[in-house]
Amino acid sequence: MSTVEEPSRDRRVLYVANTDWYLFNFRLNLIKEAERRGWIPYLACSDSGYTERLRSHKWPVKTLPLSTKGANPFREAWALYRLIRECRKVRPDVIHLFTLKCVLYGCLAAPFVPRARIVGALTGMGYLFTSQRATVRLLKNLVLIALKLGLKVSKAQLIFQNEFDRTEFIDNGLIPRERTRVIRGSGVDCEAFHPMNRKPSTNDKRRLLFCGRLIAEKGIRDYLQATATLREQGYKFDSRIAGKPYPGNPSSLSEQEVADLSVSTLHRYLGHQDDMPELLAATDIVVLPTYYREGTPKVLIEAAAAGCALITTTIPACEDIVENGSNGYYIKPSNPDQLAGALRKILDSSWETLYELQERSRQIAIERFSDTEINNRTLACYND
């Protein structure tokens, strides 16, 4: 286990993220642990409805226009200026940046706060790296040029959530290996997510859950096609879908498709869900057929901790979470036929076999993704 130097009480860390939702749902325990060890947290993010929840912890939260949807160059320049001004006001010892956009802007702001250590956490590459559209590819090239410059002037340390993303940055000359490390995800509270909270099925059917943004890259269309195939073959199961569409992404389900889903008798559409422990306590199998360039899918490690069987894809982001045949199954990305086949294996198995898959998921979560160890390793970056 990593050891972390205890800082003096007056050392400050500024957390910068696209949204308050991200900080609240993914990094709350990290911020609490940093505060417990003597760091004074400051937060900067856009407001998506969670700002007051963060302020309830007595942390200063500055609302900045850092949304991922920003495309107007003048507004983006204004956002960068606002971030620089906030950094100069807080005068942090550490600036911890989350997501690609915030890493870019934070690195460009670094010369204005020369005493601050810059730690960037790349939580995934996203649409910018998966889209083949000519305009998006041009934007990607411009972003990489700016990022290379920012990483050079800031001397930032980058945290990746998988080895594939780190290797891509190193091979493209964006950052030397010695300023990188891999920390798998943001961790999971294995006490909050626990198999002991599981609710038994009321109708003896296996309970499936898709949880994620309703975009093609997350696999929602593959899930809908695979489950339709299984129902045509006579399989009976309960299916729930949690998540919201993403209008800024052209692959998102349309408003009409979401409306149709909300009245469907084949699936129960839940929309966005805040209480993930409660949601997973009534789930047997979590399905995430993603091919999105994300870091480590939070829903998969939470589902593992809650003792769910898992089905996901062979992309690097999902490695180490699923052991094929041991706690679930891997499939190739964008392959609804394989997805139906993997689901069929679990639906055809006995309840005893399903319990064995679920028990192994729990073991993997404890061994590899406990937030205690993840937070220790992350906080060590503040002192390196």
Side-chain angles (χ1 to χ4, degrees):
M1 181 177 291
S2 304
T3 58
V4 181
E5 173 190 344
E6 298 289 340
S8 60
R9 290 299 303 176
D10 62 348
R11 296 185 70 183
R12 302 177 179 186
V13 52
L14 175 63
Y15 293 98
V16 183
N18 292 124
T19 66
D20 50 1
W21 174 87
Y22 175 84
L23 291 176
F24 184 83
N25 284 283
F26 289 80
R27 299 293 177 169
L28 191 65
N29 284 349
L30 171 67
I31 301 171
K32 287 180 179 179
E33 182 62 16
E35 184 176 46
R36 190 190 71 79
R37 298 186 184 193
W39 294 93
I40 303 174
Y42 292 77
L43 282 58
C45 51
S46 63
D47 186 351
S48 62
Y50 287 77
T51 296
E52 291 308 314
R53 301 192 202 189
L54 293 170
R55 286 179 176 149
S56 70
H57 294 275
K58 310 303 181 184
W59 300 324
V61 182
K62 182 67 174 180
T63 299
L64 298 179
L66 295 170
S67 170
T68 55
K69 300 179 183 178
N72 184 305
F74 297 104
R75 290 178 182 173
E76 295 307 300
W78 174 244
L80 177 58
Y81 168 75
R82 292 277 304 278
L83 177 59
I84 292 171
R85 191 168 66 178
E86 182 65 13
C87 290
R88 290 177 64 84
K89 177 183 176 182
V90 173
R91 294 182 294 112
D93 298 276
V94 172
I95 303 175
H96 195 157
L97 309 157
F98 301 101
T99 73
L100 182 63
K101 180 175 182 176
C102 292
V103 168
L104 172 60
Y105 286 13
C107 286
L108 295 176
F112 299 92
V113 276
R115 78 188 188 104
R117 181 186 308 280
I118 309 298
V119 177
L122 289 172
T123 56
M125 302 298 106
Y127 180 65
L128 189 66
F129 280 72
T130 58
S131 175
Q132 297 301 312
R133 296 173 60 193
T135 54
V136 178
R137 293 171 67 181
L138 175 61
L139 177 61
K140 173 186 172 182
N141 291 334
L142 294 174
V143 167
L144 290 179
I145 292 171
L147 187 60
K148 184 174 184 177
L149 173 64
L151 289 170
K152 182 176 181 179
V153 300
S154 68
K155 298 182 173 60
Q157 180 176 185
L158 286 189
I159 300 171
F160 297 87
Q161 293 196 357
N162 60 72
E163 189 63 48
F164 183 89
D165 289 346
R166 172 163 78 164
T167 300
E168 184 173 33
F169 266 57
I170 294 171
D171 289 349
N172 282 283
L174 296 173
I175 190 170
R177 176 174 287 273
E178 60 269 19
R179 282 180 22 220
T180 68
R181 64 180 61 192
V182 175
I183 301 177
R184 296 301 307 273
S186 54
V188 60
D189 184 341
C190 291
E191 294 305 313
F193 294 87
H194 200 291
M196 291 296 292
N197 301 327
R198 178 172 302 282
K199 300 175 181 178
S201 173
T202 58
N203 56 15
D204 207 39
K205 292 181 182 177
R206 310 292 168 87
R207 298 166 297 180
L208 278 57
L209 173 68
F210 174 95
C211 184
R213 280 175 289 177
L214 305 185
I215 57 177
E217 292 90 344
K218 284 286 190 176
I220 180 59
R221 297 188 186 280
D222 294 347
Y223 178 78
L224 293 173
Q225 184 175 335
T227 51
T229 297
L230 291 171
R231 291 191 190 279
E232 289 172 0
Q233 296 171 351
Y235 284 90
K236 299 184 184 300
F237 50 86
D238 289 333
S239 170
R240 295 184 299 166
I241 296 174
K244 295 174 64 177
Y246 190 17
N249 189 314
S251 76
S252 173
L253 293 191
S254 66
E255 289 184 9
Q256 185 58 54
E257 288 175 308
V258 174
D260 292 342
L261 196 59
S262 65
V263 297
S264 171
T265 59
L266 303 178
H267 308 275
R268 183 182 172 195
Y269 176 57
L270 305 174
H272 174 73
Q273 294 290 298
D274 281 328
D275 194 343
M276 289 302 296
E278 179 72 15
L279 181 65
L280 293 170
T283 301
D284 298 310
I285 307 160
V286 168
V287 185
L288 188 69
T290 179
Y291 52 98
Y292 193 70
R293 281 294 300 275
E294 52 196 313
T296 298
K298 182 80 167 178
V299 66
L300 289 183
I301 59 175
E302 289 177 343
C308 298
L310 308 176
I311 296 178
T312 190
T313 56
T314 54
I315 67 169
C318 300
E319 62 189 12
D320 291 343
I321 308 176
V322 174
E323 294 175 348
N324 205 37
S326 180
N327 71 321
Y329 294 98
Y330 278 131
I331 61 167
K332 292 181 179 179
S334 192
N335 195 319
D337 290 338
Q338 274 198 7
L339 176 55
L343 280 167
R344 196 179 296 113
K345 289 179 183 179
I346 299 181
L347 295 174
D348 284 337
S349 67
S350 66
W351 281 100
E352 288 73 18
T353 299
L354 175 58
Y355 296 151
E356 291 174 1
L357 298 176
Q358 294 171 334
E359 288 174 3
R360 180 55 186 152
S361 279
R362 174 68 179 176
Q363 293 171 359
I364 289 173
I366 293 171
E367 293 167 2
R368 303 173 190 172
F369 299 103
S370 166
D371 62 358
T372 300
E373 177 62 15
I374 295 292
N375 290 341
N376 275 340
R377 295 182 61 199
T378 302
L379 291 171
C381 298
Y382 296 2
N383 299 304
D384 284 351

